[in-house]
Amino acid sequence: MTGLLDVPVTLATAGRVLAQLRADRRTVAMLLVVPSALLAVTKQALDSRTLFDQVGLSLVGIFPLTTMFLVTSVAMLRERTSGTLERLLTTPMTKLDLLLGYGLAFSVAATAQTLVVVAIAYGLLGLQTPGSRAFVVAVALLSALLGTSLGLLASAFATSEFQAVQFLPAVILPRTLLGGLFVSREALPDWLHALSDLMPLSYAIEALQEVGRRSIITVTLLHDLAVLVGVTLVALVAAAASLRRRTPSA
C-alpha cells in the first residue's frame, strides 16, 4: 500500500545492501579493521596511558563517524549513478521503505563497527574510563549513525565517487579540529566557539569526555546525546527529500 511501511520490502532492501557491503572486502576492512588499527597506532604514538585515556576515548567517537560517512556516501552514490535508485523509485516501493531499508543496513554495519572498536579499545589497548562502557558504546554508535545520515545526505550532492570522497575533509575535518580534541572548546576564540556549537561532532566528543571524567549520568551527557539523536534525524529527513534527485552527468 502506497504511503505505508512494507516491512518485507524494507528488510529485503536492507538485506541486499548488507550483502553488497559484505561482498566488498575493502569496505569490511574499512569498517572493522581501520578504526581499531588507528587507535592502536595512536596509543603507540602517545606512549602515555593517561593521555591515551583522554585522546583515545575521543577517537572512539571520531573514527566510526568518519568511516561510516565515507562508506555510506560512496555506497549510496553508486546506487544513484548506476540507476538502481531511480529504478527502485519507479516500483510500488515507497520512499519510506527505501530509506528505512538503507538506514537499517548501514545501522547494522555501524553497530558491528562500534562493538569491535570499543571491545578492542578496552580489551586489547587498555582504555580505562570512570564511566560505564555502555555509555561509550552508546555515544560511539550515535556518532557512527550520525556519519551514516550525513553520508546519505552528502551523496545527493556528488556526481562521482571522487567527489563523494572530497566531502570528507570539508565535512569531517573542521568538526574534528573544532570539536575539542586538540584544543578545549572553552579556549577557542568566541567566533570559533560559536562555530563549534553548530558542529554535531563537538557533542559526541564532549559526551565521551564526560564519560572519561565521571562515573554518573550528567545533564551534559544527556544533552549531548539528545543533540546527536536530533541532528541524525534531521539529516535523515533531508536525505529522504533527496531520494528522487537525479544524478546529473559529471
Side-chain angles (χ1 to χ4, degrees), residues 222-236:
L222 293 177
H223 171 265
D224 292 337
L225 294 178
V227 170
L228 290 174
V229 172
V231 174
T232 298
L233 293 177
V234 169
L236 285 175

Side-chain angles (χ1 to χ4, degrees), residues 35-48 51-52 55-56 59 63:
S36 299
L38 291 175
L39 272 179
V41 170
T42 301
K43 181 178 181 181
Q44 293 300 314
L46 295 176
D47 195 26
S48 168
L51 192 56
F52 176 72
V55 176
L59 293 179
F63 288 155

Side-chain angles (χ1 to χ4, degrees), residues 129-141:
T129 56
S132 170
R133 299 182 186 185
F135 294 149
V136 176
V137 171
V139 177
L141 179 57

Side-chain angles (χ1 to χ4, degrees), residues 11-90:
L11 294 178
T13 300
R16 178 181 64 82
V17 175
L18 282 173
Q20 291 175 342
L21 292 176
R22 187 171 59 249
D24 189 338
R25 294 182 179 179
R26 288 175 297 182
T27 297
V28 173
M30 173 72 74
L31 292 174
L32 302 182
V33 178
V34 171
S36 299
L38 291 175
L39 272 179
V41 170
T42 301
K43 181 178 181 181
Q44 293 300 314
L46 295 176
D47 195 26
S48 168
R49 181 167 199 159
T50 301
L51 192 56
F52 176 72
D53 286 344
Q54 298 172 357
V55 176
L57 182 59
S58 297
L59 293 179
V60 167
I62 293 175
F63 288 155
L65 183 147
T66 304
T67 54
M68 286 307 302
F69 175 88
L70 181 60
V71 169
T72 304
S73 58
V74 171
M76 192 63 171
L77 183 63
R78 287 177 182 173
E79 299 281 84
R80 293 178 185 274
T81 56
S82 67
T84 301
L85 186 61
E86 187 175 343
R87 290 194 297 271
L88 288 173
L89 289 173
T90 62

